[in-house]
Amino acid sequence: MLLEKVVAIVALSATLMDGSMKAALPDQNMDGTAFLVNRQHAVSKYFEPDTRKVNGPGMSQAMRPDAAQALEEMFAAAREDGINLSIVSGYRSYSKQSTIYSRKKAEQGQEAADRISARPGTSEHQLGLAMDLAKKGSTQLNTAFGKTDEGKWVSAHAHEYGFIVRYPEGSEDVTGYMYEPWHVRYVGKALAKELYESGLPMETFLSGYKLEVYDYLIHQATNEVLP
């Protein structure tokens, strides 16, 4: 009986929502916009997304086309509000992240490096969905950005264009990284709005979402009626 229920759950998972496990559990879809990357959830070292150059002030950087388009729209809206942002760092390959992490580790030690830099395979930048931002004319990435007009605007409006401030203040124990007001992650407008309104880090929010999916599947597999 237990095996039959497990099979039923798997079968339901395959047909739920858009007809695939990736649709049911978007945090596990590496090609989607909700794939969860952190110290426990890595990206394949062979994963290389399609990217294009982002048109905007600052460094010449690339992102996935959907994220790049959204970022350009966000920059345009910011300029209309008198806010001038600058591009600092976008897509990074596995090998580039490995070089960055090794340098940080050599300079500051492993413990310090792990707080400020992702190990290769655990960086959102490899997805092509993350961008580090600064004030126009600057490449400095520090927590002071969060107190600037630019940082406050990003915090308040990024979700309107599908981005979240990925490592919010006070969530280091959950995300594994220090507060980074400059690091935005593209997740799409719908999810960005939900994350922004919830006030939760991505890990916590997606854990709750998956529990709801599992609860639905279990109830369906056991023919129980949801309240």
Side-chain angles (χ1 to χ4, degrees), residues 74-132:
M74 188 173 85
F75 269 45
R79 285 194 298 272
E80 290 182 2
D81 288 344
I83 299 297
N84 294 298
L85 298 167
S86 180
I87 294 167
V88 178
S89 183
Y91 168 69
R92 300 176 196 153
S93 66
Y94 182 95
S95 61
K96 183 174 182 178
Q97 187 65 35
S98 179
T99 299
I100 292 172
Y101 178 78
S102 295
R103 184 177 70 247
K104 295 290 185 182
K105 181 179 176 181
E107 293 173 349
Q108 304 181 36
Q110 183 169 315
E111 183 176 350
D114 281 339
R115 289 187 65 245
I116 62 175
S117 181
R119 296 187 183 193
T122 65
S123 171
E124 290 192 323
H125 287 277
Q126 190 182 344
L127 291 177
L129 297 174
M131 181 64 76
D132 293 335

Side-chain angles (χ1 to χ4, degrees), residues 32-34 63-64 66-68 70-71 128-131 161-164 184-189:
T33 57
M63 297 184 81
R64 259 180 40 173
D66 48 354
L71 191 69
L129 297 174
M131 181 64 76
Y161 305 91
F163 290 92
I164 59 170
V184 296
R185 156 72 189 269
Y186 183 73
V187 295
K189 290 183 179 180

Side-chain angles (χ1 to χ4, degrees), residues 23 70 107 141 178:
E107 293 173 349
L141 302 176
M178 59 178 282

Side-chain angles (χ1 to χ4, degrees), residues 136-177:
K136 186 177 180 180
S138 173
T139 58
Q140 295 297 312
L141 302 176
N142 53 54
T143 56
F145 177 72
K147 297 180 180 180
T148 65
D149 290 341
E150 290 80 4
K152 292 176 181 177
W153 190 95
V154 169
S155 178
H157 297 284
H159 68 283
E160 298 169 9
Y161 305 91
F163 290 92
I164 59 170
V165 176
R166 179 64 175 89
Y167 307 117
E169 191 170 16
S171 297
E172 184 171 334
D173 289 345
V174 177
T175 65
Y177 294 98

